[in-house]
Amino acid sequence: QAVVTQEPSLTVSPGGTVTLTCASDTGAVTSSHYPNWFQQKPGQAPRSLIHNTRDRHPWTPARFSGSLLGGKAALTVSGVQPEDEAEYHCLLFYGGSQLVFGGGTKLTVL
Amino acid sequence: QLQLQESGPGLVRPSETLSLTCSVSGGSINNRNYYWGWVRQPPGRGLEWIADIFYTGSTYYNPSLRSRVAASVDASKNQFSLSLTFVTATDTAMYYCSRRYYTAYRGAFDIWGLGTLVTVSS
């Protein structure tokens, strides 16, 4: 089974911009992996933010954007707000029916 | 608004079988547009996809768990279930049920339950 890797932790200042990445040990992440991003706050269930690389859900703030960057999936948060402090998980699809999550990135807003 | 609610034993003894149920309210499980699934999260760790099931009963499993896991649908109760056999301490986790699109939006997740914590201990 593939292994998906994320930065364990990142720190950003309020109002700043931060990019989280998601890599696969099978090679470059492409749009065929349909990258998804989830936000999870302590004691809460995950909430889907981005699907299909860059598509936002209706509830996803515009400051969250998804992309492919240097062979990885990326989630960029622009104009970071204090409420964006959370764990962020990426998800990649392999062969359409096998799903692998990354280990998560703890984002601190400081 | 459709909601999902997990229910389960809370505590399971090693080598026994874990059984969880997800109750669907505010909508029907007989919907060709969605998968119903399970994701777990060990304490302090990342998410792990376990299984998806379609309303027809077709199932898709994480290869690392396939030998121990089974998912099922009970349309009469508007519920779906998960069983995991021969559990060990490594199966201790928060278990979430979820819904994701079957084909639209490239299979995106949209709804999650609140989760139920299962501890494996003697």
Side-chain angles (χ1 to χ4, degrees):
Chain A
Q1 188 173 341
V3 176
V4 176
T5 302
Q6 301 179 242
E7 297 88 357
S9 63
L10 291 170
T11 299
V12 61
S13 300
T17 297
V18 64
T19 297
L20 292 67
T21 67
C22 176
S24 172
D25 71 339
T26 63
V29 176
T30 71
S31 57
S32 296
H33 290 99
Y34 310 138
N36 279 237
W37 291 92
F38 302 83
Q39 179 190 65
Q40 186 179 29
K41 296 184 178 180
Q44 296 184 15
R47 180 177 73 140
S48 183
L49 290 177
I50 298 288
H51 59 94
N52 193 26
T53 304
R54 63 185 75 248
D55 296 334
R56 297 185 190 92
H57 288 275
W59 54 80
T60 303
R63 62 182 181 273
F64 292 90
S65 61
S67 65
L68 295 175
L69 197 63
K72 301 178 183 180
L75 175 71
T76 298
V77 189
S78 304
V80 170
Q81 302 296 307
E83 61 265 29
D84 298 333
E85 183 163 294
E87 189 92 9
Y88 291 84
H89 306 273
C90 72
L91 169 68
L92 300 179
F93 288 70
Y94 293 85
S97 61
Q98 296 299 317
L99 287 64
V100 182
F101 285 94
T105 296
K106 179 176 173 55
L107 181 66
T108 300
V109 180
L110 200 57
Chain B
Q1 174 73 352
L2 187 137
Q3 293 185 321
L4 304 176
Q5 177 67 60
E6 306 88 348
S7 58
L11 179 66
V12 182
R13 300 197 185 283
S15 80
E16 295 188 345
T17 296
L18 163 65
S19 296
L20 297 172
T21 295
C22 183
S23 298
V24 180
S25 60
S28 174
I29 202 169
N30 277 333
N31 190 322
R32 67 181 62 190
N33 295 311
Y34 299 102
Y35 289 111
W36 308 95
W38 296 93
V39 173
R40 71 180 181 178
Q41 184 173 35
R45 302 191 64 181
L47 301 171
E48 181 180 31
W49 173 70
I50 302 172
D52 282 332
I53 186 165
F54 199 48
Y55 78 105
T56 57
S58 296
T59 51
Y60 307 86
Y61 297 131
N62 185 322
S64 68
L65 298 170
R66 181 173 288 133
S67 64
R68 299 194 293 129
V69 70
S72 60
V73 168
D74 187 339
S76 67
K77 296 181 178 179
N78 220 31
Q79 295 176 338
F80 59 103
S81 299
L82 179 77
S83 66
L84 183 65
T85 60
F86 303 108
V87 297
T88 69
T90 58
D91 295 310
T92 293
M94 182 71 81
Y95 285 76
Y96 296 100
C97 59
S98 63
R99 186 183 81 167
R100 70 181 185 92
Y101 289 91
Y102 177 56
T103 54
Y105 307 111
R106 301 294 190 184
F109 287 77
D110 65 343
I111 297 175
W112 294 71
L114 295 178
T116 187
L117 180 62
V118 176
T119 301
V120 179
S121 174
S122 55

